[in-house]
Amino acid sequence: MSKIRVAVIGCGAIAQRRHIPEYAANAQAELVAYADPRIERAREMAEIYGGKAYASYEELLANEKIDAVSICTPNYLHAPMAVAFAEAGVHVLVEKPMATTEEEGKQMIEAARKNGVYLMVGHNQRLMPPHVKAKEILDSGRLGKVLTFRTSFGHPGPEAWSVDGRDSWFFEKDQAILGAMGDLGVHKSDFIRYLLNDEVAEVAAFIGTLHKEDTAVDDNATCLLRMKSGAIGTLVASWTQYQGGDNSTVLWCENGVVKIGTVSGDEVIVELTNGTVETYKVGAMATNEKQVPSGVIDAFVESILNQTPPSISGEEGLRSLQVILAAFESQATGQIVKLQP
Ligand SMILES: NC(=O)c1ccc[n+]([C@@H]2O[C@H](COP(=O)([O-])OP(=O)(O)OC[C@H]3O[C@@H](n4cnc5c(N)ncnc54)[C@H](O)[C@@H]3O)[C@@H](O)[C@H]2O)c1
C-alpha cells in the first residue's frame, strides 16, 4: 500500500512536539498539509517537514486529497473538525479531551461510523512505558484485586507549554470549556479505566479556580471515584503545582501495592505483602519539559494500514470524558453523580 497521506490541523505545542515529528519519523506516513489561522506556524512546519500550509481547515479539505488527519486545535474545535473530516472520508486522530460535551462525542462517533473511517483519541498516557508495565503487572493477577487507589496529574499550568503562553486559549472558557480537568483530569480518568479494566460508576468532586487570574476555567480538582468493581479512589488534576509536578498513581491491592511514577528512576515499584520489593526501570514518563515519543501516531498509522480499529477509540474517549463531565455536575450540584452503566 502507498503511504498514508496526512494533514495536521493546529500547529501549536502538541503538533510541533509530538504529532508532526512522529509522522515524519514514520516511514508509512507522508505529511502533506497543515492548517492554522496563524499561517506562519503552518508555513514553518511545511518548510521543515514538507507539504502545504493553509490558514483554515476548510481550505485544506477543499484542496488536498488526504487519508488521515490529526486534530491538534483548542478543545471547542475538536468536534466540528472531526465531523467535517469524517464526512470527507478521512480517518481522524483527535487530541484529548475528544470533545467538550457528551452530545459532541456521540456525533463524532456516529460521523466516523457512517462514513467508514476510524476515530482515535490521543490518550497517550496508556502508551507510556511505566503505565504499560503497571498494566502488565496488574493483568497478571498476582496482586489480586485493586481495592483503593490514588491517581494525580499536576504541573504549573499551560503558560509554559502552549505556543501562546499566558494568552493561550487554554485560559479562555469559551474555547477550552474544561481547564485542568480537560487538560490533565481526562488523562487520568482514561488511564484508571484502562489500567483497572473497569468503569467509573460514581463520582463526587470539588473543582475550582484557586490561583490562576483572569480566567473562568478550573485550575484544580479533587474527585472521588467508585469503580464498578467496588474499588474506590481519588483523581487529582492541578495547574498550580508550581514546584514538584506529579504524574503518579498508587494502587493498594489484595496482595500488595503498586507505585507508578513516585520515585524518579524506579518508575514502577511493587511491594508485596510477603515483603518482596520489585523495582522496574522502564523509562521515564513524558513531561512538558522532556518529551518522549507518544506512540499514538504509530498506532494510528498502523491501524489504518492494517484496517484494524484503533484500541483508543472514540467510544473509549467518550467514556473517559463522561467521568470528567460527571465531576463538573457533582461540583455544580453538590451531589454524587452516577454514570450510566
Ligand atoms: N495528549 C497530550 O498529552 C496533550 C498535551 C497537550 C495538549 N493536548 C491537546 O492538544 C490540543 C492542542 O493543544 P496545544 O497544547 O497544542 O495548544 P497550543 O495553544 O500550543 O496550540 C494550539 C494551536 O491551534 C491553533 N488554532 C486555533 N484555532 C485554530 C483553527 N480554527 N484551525 C487550526 N488551528 C487553530 C492555534 O493557532 C495554535 O497554533 C488541545 O486539545 C490539548 O488538550 C494533548
Side-chain angles (χ1 to χ4, degrees), residues 9-12 14 35-37 41 71-81 94-100 104 162-164 168-178:
I9 314 302
C11 295
I14 195 71
D36 199 304
R41 291 179 184 157
I71 298 176
C72 302
T73 50
N75 299 342
Y76 78 111
L77 295 169
H78 292 182
M81 288 180 172
V94 64
E95 264 306 339
K96 41 53 60 180
M98 73 177 292
T100 60
E104 280 182 348
S162 167
V163 282
D164 288 308
S168 174
W169 64 271
F170 273 104
F171 295 106
E172 301 297 328
K173 182 75 178 167
D174 56 340
Q175 296 183 43
I177 320 288
L178 313 164

